[in-house]
Amino acid sequence: MNQKKALSRLLAAVTLSTALVYPQAASAAAPAPVLHDDNPSGHFGDWYTGAVPPNASDDKPVILFVQGLHSSYKTWYTTDGFYDAAYNAGYRTAFVQLKDADGTGGNMWTNGAKLAEVIKKVADYYGVSKINIIAHSKGGIDTQTALVHYGAHPYVNVVHQLSTPNKGSELADMAYSNWAGWLADILGKKDDAVYSLQTSYMANFRSQTDNRTESRSTKTYMAAGTGDDGMFSPTWFAHAVLPGEDDGAVSVDSAFGLTYGIKSFTKDISHGQIAKASHTWDLVEPKLQKASIRERANKVSKDDKSKSSTVEESSVILRGGEVEDNVTETFFLESGIDQFNLDTMTSSEDTVVTLISPSGKEYEADRSEKSDSEDEPEIFKDAVHHFIEVEEPEAGEWTLQVEGSDDAFFMVGSVDGGEEAKVKASKKVFKKGDKAKISVDLGKNEIDQSLLEKANLTRSLNGEKASVLDEVKFAVKEDELTGNFTVPTKPGVYNLSFDVTGINEDGEPFTRSINYNFAVTNSDGELEK
């Protein structure tokens, strides 16, 4: 990733190397925040106030920082954190501990209700009528829930989101899919927080939230990243799963997913880096004063609505499941591919991953250690990554071998320069008993009907391994693969997972994997909270 380098005045508390790379972050370290221990038995609901800087001014708003998925207030109180930057710029600050700080993530309803209480406490503590909020990732959704659904909007003037998944994240969809559910279960990453970030759950949340007047009473700025943490990093491989441009956890489309939000900036940085002061403080800080009413809200076409049809593209191959002894999976690659990148995630470092070409050549995976990086996407954090890169892979049937015990795996194969499958679904949110339709278009390529398989329908559940509830039959009509089915009657979030095998102009088969995430609401249009 390209980084601008320049010289800047150095302050005593910052090392020379940091200042040379990130001059805008050169500053003195702020004193430790003071705990307001409102929850003696845990962290959820505790809040902190930062030290009042010597150059503080009543002209500058109070800032409350709200962190994201499975994080604590230390997102901000860390090396290169926003707390130091805000302190040196003369801002009074506060921090909150949400349910995630106690180990298990909370959804927006759980966190939003508690956050609304803390927002009022912070305003009272500083004796101000309104505060501003800087929110990273899911913290932006928790913030919006506090403002819109739990009455905190009169106390907040400006919210600046940093890569908030306003439309959810496909990584959350994957965690509950037929392929990745086993591994996500072992890693302990399936909880209320991840569940609520599924794209269909968020589509329903948008329908519950965006039409309320409270959603527009606060100026909301949105920011997005388009980078990663380097080649073969988890954020780099996540690009394969996320649609369009993304930061390794949240797509740009999702980050800019509020029709009434104001686009602040896009930068070539990862999901973790966007919450680092050296990368973004100088972009966020100018927005902290009262937002001008002349600023234009995000423009979204009339077709971009949660209940309209959805169109996505797939150039990935997905595999996954339980590992006991030896597991073998196969798939087809066509000729003309520039590069095939494989990331096979497991929970154990002892599990061995091998890729075998059609001609019998074996590729041993380069294994990463379990990452302690705070920048790694939380949904698959703690996984061991087994990387394989194949330049110009040969055409034919490839085999993945996974050897281990008491483990699970999730394989993401990214095809660079190959064929793409276009997936169109009628919508993301249904009521029980509705009819649904999904179709796959392979362009000029044919669909191999001899390898036509049924799609597995699974329900997203916490604490349970994915089990197939039903199978959906597909038929080929007018060069499209089409599946028609009746959605389940039980409210919840579901995944339809399947492969499609195409035949290119040279007669070569190729595999692409599809995961369609959708929600079923009750008669009142609600999912369980």
Side-chain angles (χ1 to χ4, degrees):
M1 179 178 61
N2 295 324
Q3 295 176 331
K4 295 182 179 179
K5 297 184 179 181
L7 293 176
S8 178
R9 182 178 302 172
L10 304 182
L11 298 177
V14 181
T15 65
L16 176 61
S17 59
T18 300
L20 285 172
V21 180
Y22 306 123
Q24 67 269 32
S27 57
V34 175
L35 169 65
H36 298 256
D37 192 6
D38 288 4
N39 181 8
S41 62
H43 300 296
F44 183 35
D46 287 345
W47 54 292
Y48 295 76
T49 47
V52 176
N55 56 338
S57 168
D58 290 341
D59 294 333
K60 293 182 176 181
V62 173
I63 304 172
L64 172 62
F65 293 98
V66 183
Q67 60 281 353
L69 179 68
H70 298 160
S71 300
S72 73
Y73 82 103
K74 291 185 178 179
T75 294
W76 314 102
Y77 178 43
T78 185
T79 302
D80 196 16
F82 264 56
Y83 174 38
D84 284 351
Y87 175 82
N88 284 278
Y91 288 92
R92 295 160 292 168
T93 55
F95 310 85
V96 62
Q97 294 281 58
L98 300 176
K99 189 175 186 296
D100 305 56
D102 282 328
T104 302
N107 63 23
M108 68 280 286
W109 310 108
T110 299
N111 284 348
K114 185 63 66 176
L115 179 57
E117 297 175 11
V118 173
I119 287 171
K120 298 169 187 176
K121 291 176 183 178
V122 171
D124 289 344
Y125 177 87
Y126 282 111
V128 296
S129 59
K130 289 178 180 285
I131 64 173
N132 286 358
I133 291 176
I134 298 176
H136 179 231
S137 194
K138 180 179 172 290
I141 299 168
D142 295 337
T143 297
Q144 189 178 42
T145 307
L147 303 184
V148 175
H149 295 281
Y150 293 108
H153 65 93
Y155 303 92
V156 179
N157 179 46
V158 172
V159 174
H160 199 301
Q161 298 179 345
L162 298 172
S163 190
T164 289
N166 288 302
K167 293 183 178 181
S169 174
E170 287 74 11
L171 291 179
D173 296 351
M174 285 296 154
Y176 291 92
S177 71
N178 193 43
W179 293 297
W182 286 86
L183 178 62
D185 226 22
I186 290 178
L187 295 175
K189 297 303 180 183
K190 290 163 65 174
D191 57 24
D192 290 348
V194 176
Y195 184 92
S196 70
L197 290 179
Q198 293 175 92
T199 54
S200 61
Y201 191 105
M202 282 302 302
N204 194 60
F205 176 75
R206 294 264 67 88
S207 69
Q208 295 172 308
T209 304
D210 291 349
N211 60 353
R212 294 182 55 150
T213 57
E214 298 95 331
S215 66
R216 289 157 176 79
S217 65
T218 301
K219 287 289 181 183
T220 300
Y221 291 95
M222 306 173 295
T226 59
D228 51 57
D229 297 304
M231 187 171 290
F232 304 123
S233 66
T235 50
W236 185 78
F237 267 101
H239 293 320
V241 174
L242 296 164
E245 290 188 302
D246 64 86
D247 63 4
V250 176
S251 70
V252 171
D253 179 64
S254 184
F256 289 151
L258 300 181
T259 59
Y260 45 86
I262 302 165
K263 291 182 180 180
S264 179
F265 65 85
T266 303
K267 192 172 181 180
D268 184 18
I269 50 180
S270 72
H271 190 69
Q273 291 167 337
I274 203 169
K276 299 297 185 183
S278 60
H279 287 291
T280 55
W281 169 256
D282 62 331
L283 300 173
V284 173
E285 199 266 345
K287 309 293 196 307
L288 297 179
Q289 304 301 323
K290 278 193 174 182
S292 168
I293 58 173
R294 296 179 182 178
E295 290 179 286
R296 292 185 178 182
N298 182 33
K299 285 188 176 181
V300 177
S301 68
K302 293 181 180 179
D303 294 331
D304 188 15
K305 299 198 178 167
S306 63
K307 295 189 177 181
S308 64
S309 62
T310 61
V311 180
E312 299 177 0
E313 295 182 346
S314 172
S315 58
V316 297
I317 303 168
L318 305 174
R319 295 290 184 269
E322 189 177 16
V323 177
E324 284 294 345
D325 297 328
N326 193 315
V327 177
T328 300
E329 294 280 359
T330 60
F331 53 87
F332 293 100
L333 294 179
E334 70 276 25
S335 59
I337 294 173
D338 297 329
Q339 191 175 80
F340 181 61
N341 297 303
L342 196 74
D343 179 15
T344 304
M345 289 170 266
T346 65
S347 68
S348 172
E349 296 176 355
D350 296 328
T351 299
V352 178
V353 175
T354 306
L355 182 66
I356 305 172
S357 75
S359 62
K361 182 177 179 179
E362 295 189 359
Y363 296 83
E364 297 293 335
D366 292 328
R367 192 193 69 203
S368 74
E369 303 296 328
K370 289 190 178 183
S371 175
D372 293 325
S373 170
E374 59 191 36
D375 294 339
E376 184 173 353
E378 275 291 335
I379 293 177
F380 289 105
K381 192 170 184 178
D382 299 329
V384 178
H385 296 263
H386 306 260
F387 302 129
I388 297 175
E389 177 186 19
V390 183
E391 299 282 351
E392 299 181 353
E394 61 183 287
E397 187 176 40
W398 288 71
T399 301
L400 180 80
Q401 288 186 349
V402 184
E403 298 180 55
S405 61
D406 296 324
D407 201 359
F409 78 101
F410 175 41
M411 183 205 89
V412 179
S414 175
V415 179
D416 185 6
E419 303 291 346
E420 288 188 337
K422 291 186 178 180
V423 185
K424 184 176 181 179
S426 50
K427 53 186 178 179
K428 295 286 285 184
V429 181
F430 300 86
K431 289 188 177 180
K432 59 182 182 180
D434 280 353
K435 302 293 184 181
K437 177 181 178 181
I438 182 171
S439 60
V440 182
D441 183 2
L442 296 180
K444 297 180 180 179
N445 303 295
E446 296 180 2
I447 295 173
D448 190 340
Q449 298 192 49
S450 66
L451 295 176
L452 207 56
E453 297 181 359
K454 297 176 181 178
N456 291 325
L457 178 66
T458 58
R459 186 180 180 211
S460 299
L461 293 171
N462 292 327
E464 297 183 27
K465 292 180 173 64
S467 59
V468 178
L469 300 178
D470 198 0
E471 293 181 331
V472 174
K473 295 181 180 180
F474 283 87
V476 178
K477 296 181 180 179
E478 298 180 356
D479 297 326
E480 277 193 349
L481 184 66
T482 303
N484 295 283
F485 62 101
T486 302
V487 302
T489 57
K490 189 174 182 61
V493 178
Y494 296 84
N495 283 285
L496 195 65
S497 308
F498 60 99
D499 281 343
V500 57
T501 302
I503 305 292
N504 67 9
E505 294 177 339
D506 296 324
E508 300 167 340
F510 62 91
T511 305
R512 297 297 181 267
S513 300
I514 311 296
N515 189 73
Y516 170 49
N517 180 271
F518 67 94
V520 179
T521 68
N522 61 22
S523 57
D524 295 324
E526 294 182 345
L527 288 166
E528 59 271 70
K529 294 184 179 181

